[in-house]
Amino acid sequence: MDDLKAKYLGQIAGAADEAGLEDIRLAAVGKKGEVALKMRELGKMTPEERQTVGPALNALKDEINSALAAKKAALGDAALDERLRSEWLDVTLPSRGTRQGTIHPVSQVTEEVTAIFANLGFSVAEGPRIDTDWYNFDALNIPGHHPARAEMDTFYMARAEGDDRPPHVLRTHTSPVQIRTMEAQGAPLRIICPGGVYRADYDQTHTPMFHQVEGLAIDKDISMANLKWTLEEFFAAFFEVDGIKTRFRASHFPFTEPSAEVDIQCSWVDGQLRIGEGDDWMEVLGSGMVHPKVLQAGGIDPAEWQGFAFGMGIDRIAMLKYGIPDLRAFFDSDLRWLRHYGFASLDQPNLHGGLSR
């Protein structure tokens, strides 16, 4: 026993690393180690011999295991000390930059549009995204046979059997907000209505949910000339191009009379769109003088008041200004897209349409 003890305690004390220490453990107290082999010989001994040799072997095994654990801890401490001596950290170095969140382009453009029209005297009005078909269609002089009222174009809310409430839809434009604001505030009035809208359409230039901003101005002597000036001021500020040319084309909308599609001057150079130069035109919005029936639906006397209205897609003007090629990208889950087109939180639109910090 004493020879085994001296042998293995000496080897443990001289072990240079944990690999060598493991070899010693296996040779001493492993399943095929010398101490284990001695344990197997107990069966051949007399009871009196077992009473003496058994406790001695257990004590030897415990002592060797204790020595192994102590040596392993010592080797670990020595390795850590050596690592601390060989490695160092310069605490004076600046920390690594952290990735900051970005503002979505739709949110950014909404803020830009709001700031520009605020400078022109327009306030923001909001309304529910789920509205009755009266506010979404009837009050806007859209007849019952109009294609927009078909279920293939508009999302109608499900109705339980016996539900006698009027039909509700996901609003197809923010025009219902105009009616609700006219009812609540009367005339004179100057508002914009930004927000999400829904239509059953999906391709490169259409999505089931998108964002619009509509404008409404009502007073006693408002004309198409006021509408043209307002839109030209907006285009110049938003696209940051002075003297941008516009073209008004006669059109038809149920809620305005007369109605006009509005184009802005542009050109294509090497596949890139340039606003405010060249000989081409691009349609950007619809507009016109508010139809008398719409004024009446809002509780305003058309014999005394008149006004203009316009509407444009926030997503689309964002695409034009910031070179975003596909409308569906606004709803892409790939965060690399948002990091490319997103805006830092300190980039805020000023009243002249540009970004300031």
Side-chain angles (χ1 to χ4, degrees):
M1 297 290 183
D2 292 338
D3 292 342
L4 284 177
K5 177 179 178 180
K7 174 184 174 181
Y8 287 113
L9 291 183
Q11 290 180 2
I12 291 171
D17 53 41
E18 291 192 17
L21 193 64
E22 177 64 12
D23 291 339
I24 296 169
R25 186 191 71 80
L26 293 173
V29 295
K31 289 183 178 181
K32 297 181 180 181
E34 285 194 73
V35 175
L37 294 176
K38 290 288 185 184
M39 290 283 193
R40 293 175 186 176
E41 294 177 0
L42 290 174
K44 301 177 181 179
M45 298 181 183
T46 64
E48 292 78 9
E49 289 176 328
R50 286 198 297 271
Q51 289 180 356
T52 302
V53 177
L57 286 172
N58 284 327
L60 175 61
K61 182 179 179 181
D62 291 342
E63 190 169 357
I64 291 174
N65 282 328
S66 297
L68 287 167
K71 184 63 177 181
K72 184 176 182 179
L75 289 173
D77 290 342
L80 179 59
D81 291 340
E82 178 61 27
R83 183 178 176 185
L84 291 174
R85 283 193 297 270
S86 61
E87 296 181 1
W88 60 279
L89 177 65
D90 186 353
V91 296
T92 65
L93 288 175
S95 62
R96 294 176 181 175
T98 56
R99 188 182 299 279
Q100 295 181 340
T102 57
I103 298 174
H104 195 281
V106 169
S107 299
Q108 176 68 31
V109 170
T110 300
E111 292 298 321
E112 292 181 41
V113 169
T114 300
I116 294 169
F117 279 111
N119 195 41
L120 296 174
F122 287 77
S123 60
V124 175
E126 296 180 323
R129 295 197 180 201
I130 300 176
D131 217 331
T132 66
D133 65 346
W134 187 87
Y135 280 106
N136 196 78
F137 295 122
D138 296 318
L140 295 164
N141 197 37
I142 300 176
H145 62 270
H146 195 281
R149 302 187 73 150
E151 291 188 358
M152 63 182 297
D153 290 330
T154 298
F155 294 104
Y156 283 82
M157 306 303 295
R159 303 178 69 187
E161 185 177 352
D163 187 349
D164 58 356
R165 293 177 301 170
H168 282 66
V169 300
L170 294 179
R171 65 183 184 188
T172 60
H173 42 195
T174 57
S175 301
V177 181
Q178 297 182 20
I179 302 297
R180 290 181 175 275
T181 307
M182 283 190 280
E183 287 180 336
Q185 300 182 19
L189 191 66
R190 204 182 311 183
I191 59 169
I192 59 169
C193 313
V197 297
Y198 306 84
R199 296 179 190 175
D201 208 351
Y202 187 71
D203 57 35
Q204 187 175 4
T205 57
H206 300 85
T207 53
M209 192 279 281
F210 56 101
H211 302 83
Q212 272 191 343
V213 58
E214 298 188 12
L216 173 68
I218 300 175
D219 214 318
K220 293 188 175 181
D221 56 358
I222 283 183
S223 67
M224 288 286 287
N226 301 119
L227 168 64
K228 186 174 187 294
W229 178 87
T230 299
L231 294 178
E232 288 180 346
E233 288 293 304
F234 168 75
F235 293 142
F238 181 75
F239 292 109
E240 302 179 58
V241 177
D242 292 331
I244 186 170
K245 294 181 181 179
T246 59
R247 182 176 69 176
F248 283 63
R249 292 179 291 106
S251 185
H252 168 74
F253 304 111
F255 28 79
T256 52
E257 180 60 38
S259 303
E261 300 276 7
V262 181
D263 305 330
I264 56 174
Q265 177 189 17
C266 70
S267 67
W268 291 92
V269 178
D270 296 328
Q272 291 187 340
L273 175 66
R274 296 186 179 181
I275 302 294
E277 61 180 58
D279 299 322
D280 293 329
W281 299 94
M282 175 172 288
E283 177 188 328
V284 288
L285 60 84
S287 65
M289 298 300 292
V290 181
H291 197 287
K293 290 185 178 180
V294 175
L295 292 174
Q296 287 178 334
I300 294 176
D301 184 0
E304 183 178 1
W305 304 92
Q306 60 189 35
F308 65 73
F310 58 85
M312 69 187 96
I314 293 177
D315 313 81
R316 294 205 177 168
I317 62 174
M319 293 172 67
L320 294 178
K321 183 171 182 178
Y322 295 110
I324 300 170
D326 193 321
L327 183 64
R328 293 169 292 189
F330 286 115
F331 310 99
D332 200 318
S333 60
D334 190 341
L335 294 180
R336 292 173 298 177
W337 176 87
L338 190 56
R339 295 189 189 113
H340 179 72
Y341 286 108
F343 296 85
S345 58
L346 294 179
D347 287 339
Q348 294 296 327
N350 59 42
L351 293 182
H352 302 292
L355 298 180
S356 61
R357 286 182 175 271

